[in-house]
Amino acid sequence: CDEDEDDIPPMDESERRQIQISNWQVCNITTPANYFHVLRRQLHRNFRKPLIIAAPKALLRHKQAVSSVADFAPDQKFKRVIPDDGARIGVANEEVERLLFCTGKVYYDLVKAIDDKGLKNVAVARVEQIAPFPFDAVAEEVARFPKATITWVQEEPQNMGAWTYVHPRFKAAVNYFLERRTRVGYAGREPSASPATGSAKI
């Protein structure tokens, strides 16, 4: 994407022109409703920019990747960031210790692992639109959990996936909207020269 990682454009919905000055949109959708709304948004706009959706086919049959009928209603819209709904958190927002951001299918793996371990102080948010980066929505979610450490989680190796793109933008969003500096941790595979691990027996 051609946007500057340190240049945060006006993010108010009434004057947001972020997509007009970007050359494409990259999304990794995790719910049927959000998939519907991103396609509807694309058709309803009076301009065209390429839309890339990186969602895997596995989510089409994932038991947790569901939406209610109400999520498709006309008053709903595409969510660039899906915040933690608080259903699994057993403490106040001020007591949440870790805020995990991710995109795509790994969200469901994270939720399962957190539930299996019985963790009640971990929040998980999904970045559904990677580019143009949703600076304001990310900062809003960070503000909900003021004492939590921030970590980006991905399945891909560190030198692949969205990490190198989102890392500086997370810091810019928090610095600009919340006027504080923060460290963004990484959780995922180590850097690799190959996108697949391969087999040592071949």
Side-chain angles (χ1 to χ4, degrees):
C1 190
D2 60 346
E3 66 177 5
D4 187 341
E5 63 190 41
D6 296 316
D7 182 17
I8 300 180
M11 300 301 294
D12 184 85
E13 192 167 2
S14 62
E15 54 184 74
R16 188 167 63 222
R17 297 185 65 256
Q18 193 181 22
I19 182 58
Q20 283 92 332
I21 60 176
S22 298
N23 56 2
W24 61 4
Q25 310 158 87
V26 180
C27 299
N28 199 350
I29 311 298
T30 59
T31 70
N34 227 24
Y35 198 105
F36 168 77
H37 288 301
V38 75
L39 294 179
R40 185 174 72 166
R41 182 184 72 170
Q42 180 77 351
L43 290 174
H44 278 219
R45 282 174 166 165
N46 58 5
F47 60 90
R48 289 289 176 262
K49 288 293 178 83
L51 171 62
I52 301 169
I53 298 179
K57 291 187 292 183
L59 287 184
L60 293 174
R61 55 184 179 272
H62 198 291
K63 294 181 179 180
Q64 301 301 320
V66 295
S67 300
S68 67
V69 174
D71 293 332
F72 293 88
D75 61 334
Q76 299 297 310
K77 63 181 180 179
F78 174 65
K79 298 176 181 176
R80 295 170 298 146
V81 173
I82 299 181
D84 190 292
D85 59 9
R88 296 177 316 279
I89 300 176
V91 297
N93 287 357
E94 293 75 16
E95 298 178 27
V96 170
E97 295 181 4
R98 282 181 285 178
L99 172 57
L100 308 180
F101 280 94
C102 64
T103 187
K105 183 173 69 70
V106 72
Y107 166 77
Y108 296 101
D109 300 327
L110 279 175
V111 169
K112 185 179 185 302
I114 291 170
D115 290 344
D116 290 346
K117 294 182 179 180
L119 301 176
K120 300 296 183 182
N121 59 350
V122 180
V124 186
R126 289 169 271 181
V127 179
E128 300 278 286
Q129 177 177 293
I130 300 169
F133 191 74
F135 293 98
D136 56 334
V138 165
E140 184 177 334
E141 185 68 356
V142 172
R144 287 180 60 203
F145 310 102
K147 297 182 180 179
T149 59
I150 304 170
T151 303
W152 175 262
V153 184
Q154 66 179 34
E155 293 179 297
E156 300 86 358
Q158 189 172 6
N159 58 329
M160 304 177 198
W163 167 245
T164 54
Y165 178 82
V166 302
H167 181 211
R169 289 166 175 80
F170 265 99
K171 295 195 291 185
V174 174
N175 184 35
Y176 181 83
F177 287 102
L178 305 181
E179 298 183 346
R180 63 182 174 91
R181 298 189 178 277
T182 188
R183 179 183 179 276
V184 181
Y186 167 82
R189 299 178 184 177
E190 295 182 355
S192 172
S194 171
T197 55
S199 175
K201 295 182 180 179
I202 298 178

